[in-house]
Amino acid sequence: MRPLRSLLAGAIAPALLAMTFLASPAMAQDEGPLPHEYWSFESLFGTFDQAALQRGFQVYLNVCSNCHSMQYLHYRDLTGIGLTEDQIKGVAASITVPSGLDDQGNPKDGPATPASQFKSPFANEAAARAANNGAAPPDLSLIVNAREGGPNYVYGILTGFAQAPAGFKVGEGLFYNKMFPGHQIHMPQPLQDGTVTYTDGTNSDLDQEAHDVVTFLSWAANPEMVERKQIGVRVILFLVFMTGITYAVKRKLWSDVHH
Amino acid sequence: MAGLNKSDFANPVINWIDTRLPIFTMMQKEYGVFPTPKNFNYLWNFGALAVVNLLIMIVTGIFLAMNYQPNTELAFGSVQHIMRDVNYGWLIRYVHQNGASMFFIVTYIHIFRGLYYGSYKAPRELLWMLGVVILLLMMATAFMGYVLPWGQMSYWGATVITNLFSAFPVVGPHIVTLLWGGFSVDNPTLNRFFALHYLLPFVLVGVIFLHVAALHITGSNNPLGIDVKSPQDTLPFHPYYTVKDSVGVCAFLAVFAAFVFFFPNLLGDPNNFIPANPLQTPADIVPEWYFLPYYAILRSVPDKLLGVCMMFGSLLMLFVLPWLDTSRVRSARFRPVFRILIWVWVAAVVCLGICGAHKPEGIWVILSRLCTVYYYLHFLVILPILGKLERPLPLPESISQPVLAGRGGGPLPGGAAAKPMEKA
């Protein structure tokens, strides 16, 4: 058994080694250091803080949604941040979205329903580009998954606006950001202390707002996460149990074999 | 040869079928009483694991195909639709996505087992070569599957890899046009990749059938690498190895589940969460982890054509491995020098994989060149010469003999019983 075990370990160790290397690719050279914030959802069994999700949605609705779409989300999905169906109907009804054609065949607008996609601020990418100094604001549905560093990176961008250091020339229509690769970003600082007034009375300093909206965006990118982890625990416990049982059966069956 | 099969099955229905179409007799012969060496270790699980993995991929893949749209305008969104709106779509997709990585982990270990214990040597050369065909088909399937979500890395990976074929003189550009179905990676490319990605797994099933059929003619190799001498050396496949494989399958599924449920995107690239954009090249174009060693070989050569040839050559060389290795002793256990050098080779491959993940600058270029040279050296120089020079340890008389005599004393029996070299 001993040589076998060391052999197996020898075969698996390089594979795992290769993976750890892959899991931590080097950041591009001119980015700022990645912050390491605490996120309730990052640990193995971590879940989303529902209050933070709802505050984060408020930040998105009041601030981000003026420029950024979230086209893969529907208002019905908001049950995932703890809104009731009536609340969702209320949120949707207050938003005007394109709703098909009228009797003359002209496009018409109407109130959103829970089945509607999140409203996009611009009709198309060219319009978004034209309205934003040539850089279309990226869709935020998957932004946390789509950036190296995930939630910490997005948090770093939101809190990374600063005065450019002496000697650093910031281009026309650009803003200095410590986190952004190259330090020049098209987005003006979106969040400041007190940008939103939380309906739940939470103090809205920049750090709080950034935390909340990043929590919301992390949920938006992985809405299945909580259910996934819950099922995962049960599946893995079952499989470990089954491994033990089959191993016991194997031991019993093989006990009469001389080796 | 026509004539009814004389069936021994007591159940009248089974007997009736088996008389006319002896599939039950065949199953009994190939998986029931099939004589299997009794000394397998757990590395012999990995072939069965690969089959289980392939079945998982086919089943999840069929359900994904029901909801996926192979159209450049819709593909990315349809994957998000699967992840968000289809019932348990996220589970099906994450199983399929991580299943590809698991398939390569399992297959690479299976191949390593073959290399370490000399399973490619006579009379199993054809069995081994069919295995190499399986590996190549797997790689083509995985590559095309990675293109389907139509993210940035899908698109740019497809562009880089298909462009490799343009290096071949005369036919190169035509091959690329055929792969693309046009003059750049675009909708026709996505369509044909989807069609082929759905087809190739079934071709894989066919080749795997031949791989297993050949295995059942030669019989399995074993950790000692010596031939089965008597019925004492073997056990019926069922229940001994069905239960041992079951242990492996359960443990394997547990590891698989850990990835799916807790680290579903660990092996992925953040860039593939951005829809494909032909006007914006990502800072780094990196293939999936299982292609990194070959990618490093490709980039270690300054000349494009030579690089492409070296990359494909590193795999095609495996076809002639049974004739490159001149040693007639199969198991590394009895080859003191090979036993070390095979690990050096593994280290070189892992190092190539790490090099492939980094930009080809500075130390990574030097390392990848050294490892590429060693990779080739191992097959083309070391294996042919080592077989002539190396003095193998004495081989045991039979599989059951060292088992009875060598309890706790290592694999070597007494000198009188040992032969200096087993005829392979």
Side-chain angles (χ1 to χ4, degrees):
Chain A
M1 274 315 269
R2 197 197 53 77
L4 158 69
R5 216 169 284 152
S6 62
L7 223 176
L8 263 176
I12 293 165
L16 289 178
L17 187 75
M19 278 173 214
T20 47
F21 265 88
L22 293 177
S24 56
M27 300 285 289
Q29 55 273 33
D30 53 356
E31 281 170 31
L34 198 63
H36 288 283
E37 292 293 307
Y38 168 78
W39 304 105
S40 63
F41 49 87
E42 264 194 336
S43 64
L44 213 50
F45 306 111
T47 58
F48 293 112
D49 174 350
Q50 297 267 307
L53 282 178
Q54 294 181 16
R55 288 194 301 270
F57 175 59
Q58 197 192 335
V59 175
Y60 170 74
L61 210 55
N62 293 1
V63 185
C64 318
S65 69
N66 290 315
C67 299
H68 291 276
S69 62
M70 288 186 90
Q71 59 168 320
Y72 299 118
L73 274 87
H74 299 79
Y75 293 107
R76 60 177 153 79
D77 296 329
L78 292 173
T79 49
I81 66 168
L83 298 194
T84 64
E85 285 189 24
D86 285 337
Q87 284 173 315
I88 292 171
K89 274 183 194 154
V91 169
S94 67
I95 295 166
T96 306
V97 293
S99 57
L101 304 176
D102 65 17
D103 293 343
Q104 268 67 47
N106 301 312
K108 66 167 184 177
D109 288 341
T113 67
S116 306
Q117 273 185 322
F118 270 28
K119 183 190 180 176
S120 291
F122 301 104
N124 50 58
E125 204 196 318
R129 205 176 284 286
N132 288 282
N133 200 14
D139 186 86
L140 295 184
S141 315
L142 290 160
I143 199 76
V144 170
N145 288 359
R147 294 293 181 275
E148 203 69 66
N152 286 317
Y153 175 83
V154 180
Y155 175 87
I157 290 285
L158 291 174
T159 55
F161 288 90
Q163 215 38 271
F168 188 97
K169 261 192 98 74
V170 180
E172 178 79 30
L174 296 170
F175 303 89
Y176 185 82
N177 188 297
K178 285 184 280 191
M179 192 72 231
F180 197 67
H183 300 306
Q184 301 192 68
I185 190 168
H186 275 84
M187 176 170 71
Q189 180 167 359
L191 296 176
Q192 272 141 0
D193 288 342
T195 301
V196 290
T197 308
Y198 283 131
T199 48
D200 68 357
T202 305
N203 180 32
S204 59
D205 57 11
L206 170 60
D207 179 68
Q208 182 70 43
E209 291 167 339
H211 254 276
D212 290 342
V213 78
V214 168
T215 304
F216 172 71
L217 292 174
S218 300
W219 166 81
N222 306 285
E224 85 299 340
M225 189 203 73
V226 175
E227 188 189 13
R228 166 159 57 77
K229 288 175 175 174
Q230 283 170 353
I231 297 177
V233 172
R234 279 176 271 166
V235 168
I236 290 175
L237 281 179
F238 171 75
L239 286 170
V240 168
F241 175 72
M242 282 303 288
T243 307
I245 290 274
T246 35
Y247 185 66
V249 173
K250 187 256 169 196
R251 283 287 292 258
K252 178 100 177 63
L253 256 166
W254 280 70
S255 60
D256 61 344
V257 178
H258 295 288
H259 60 116
Chain B
M1 285 294 283
L4 293 177
N5 177 47
K6 225 182 87 52
S7 181
D8 298 327
F9 285 92
N11 182 311
V13 178
I14 290 179
N15 191 294
W16 187 90
I17 296 171
D18 199 51
T19 305
R20 289 150 183 81
L21 181 68
I23 44 173
F24 294 99
T25 300
M26 190 200 88
M27 283 305 289
Q28 183 64 11
K29 179 164 167 277
E30 303 299 339
Y31 287 101
V33 296
F34 191 71
T36 313
K38 66 198 252 182
N39 59 334
F40 282 179
N41 56 37
Y42 274 99
L43 282 178
W44 262 262
N45 274 1
F46 284 83
L49 297 185
V51 170
V52 169
N53 201 320
L54 176 65
L55 293 178
I56 291 173
M57 295 303 275
I58 288 179
V59 171
T60 52
I62 288 171
F63 283 102
L64 287 177
M66 291 177 190
N67 296 288
Y68 169 78
Q69 307 285 344
N71 178 300
T72 53
E73 296 289 321
L74 305 172
F76 191 90
S78 73
V79 172
Q80 283 310 309
H81 167 67
I82 291 169
M83 294 299 290
R84 292 161 189 273
D85 300 332
V86 174
N87 292 333
Y88 292 101
W90 58 266
L91 179 58
I92 299 169
R93 163 118 194 289
Y94 276 153
V95 168
H96 198 76
Q97 180 189 318
N98 288 282
S101 285
M102 295 307 293
F103 205 173
F104 276 95
I105 293 173
V106 164
T107 306
Y108 283 160
I109 295 175
H110 183 63
I111 293 170
F112 169 79
R113 200 273 337 261
L115 291 171
Y116 190 86
Y117 294 107
S119 301
Y120 48 87
K121 293 181 189 185
R124 299 186 182 85
E125 306 96 321
L126 193 58
L127 173 59
W128 169 262
M129 292 163 82
L130 285 165
V132 181
V133 173
I134 291 168
L135 175 64
L136 294 175
L137 279 171
M138 248 181 83
M139 289 180 157
T141 311
F143 162 66
M144 288 189 275
Y146 191 63
V147 176
L148 302 185
W150 209 244
Q152 272 288 68
M153 212 42 87
S154 299
Y155 177 87
W156 289 99
T159 304
V160 170
I161 302 300
T162 50
N163 256 316
L164 292 181
F165 290 91
S166 70
F168 295 114
V170 189
V171 291
H174 299 289
I175 296 176
V176 177
T177 308
L178 269 176
L179 285 172
W180 286 346
F183 302 100
S184 67
V185 175
D186 207 336
N187 203 46
T189 325
L190 182 59
N191 282 175
R192 61 193 53 201
F193 277 22
F194 178 59
L196 292 173
H197 183 72
Y198 205 113
L199 167 71
L200 288 186
F202 297 99
V203 178
L204 263 178
V205 171
V207 184
I208 288 169
F209 179 82
L210 295 179
H211 187 71
V212 174
L215 173 73
H216 281 227
I217 297 296
T218 61
S220 294
N221 188 28
N222 63 80
L224 293 173
I226 59 176
D227 290 329
V228 168
K229 299 283 164 44
S230 68
Q232 272 192 323
D233 293 346
T234 64
L235 294 168
F237 189 82
H238 181 75
Y240 291 98
Y241 283 110
T242 40
V243 73
K244 195 166 180 177
D245 280 345
S246 302
V247 177
V249 167
C250 291
F252 161 72
L253 290 179
V255 175
F256 197 153
F259 274 103
V260 167
F261 292 102
F262 291 100
F263 311 101
N265 293 313
L266 179 67
L267 300 171
D269 190 305
N271 274 297
N272 234 26
F273 284 103
I274 304 170
N277 182 354
L279 300 177
Q280 192 181 44
T281 317
D284 265 318
I285 301 178
V286 188
E288 290 274 83
W289 70 267
Y290 39 80
F291 290 138
L292 288 175
Y294 317 101
Y295 193 55
I297 293 178
L298 170 76
R299 294 194 303 184
S300 70
V301 185
D303 179 72
K304 185 178 176 186
L305 177 59
L306 192 62
V308 172
C309 290
M310 294 278 281
M311 183 184 75
F312 286 121
S314 67
L315 288 164
L316 295 178
M317 203 162 49
L318 295 175
F319 278 115
V320 290
L321 173 62
W323 296 276
L324 289 174
D325 188 346
T326 51
S327 169
R328 290 194 296 178
V329 176
R330 295 195 191 106
S331 176
R333 223 176 253 194
F334 305 106
R335 299 186 62 190
V337 184
F338 175 79
R339 189 178 188 165
I340 297 163
L341 291 181
I342 185 72
W343 286 111
V344 179
W345 177 83
V346 169
V349 173
V350 172
C351 181
L352 279 171
I354 296 166
C355 292
H358 289 84
K359 280 199 176 121
E361 303 165 333
I363 184 74
W364 300 113
V365 180
I366 301 164
L367 265 179
S368 60
R369 284 186 184 159
L370 280 176
C371 293
T372 302
V373 168
Y374 187 82
Y375 183 103
Y376 272 88
L377 214 61
H378 178 84
F379 288 114
L380 296 180
V381 179
I382 292 176
L383 287 186
I385 295 177
L386 190 63
K388 311 274 188 208
L389 299 182
E390 188 181 39
R391 209 181 141 69
L393 302 176
L395 292 173
E397 189 69 35
S398 72
I399 292 172
S400 44
Q401 195 255 358
V403 164
L404 293 171
R407 190 109 183 109
L412 294 183
K419 285 194 288 180
M421 193 181 278
E422 176 78 19
K423 192 177 183 321

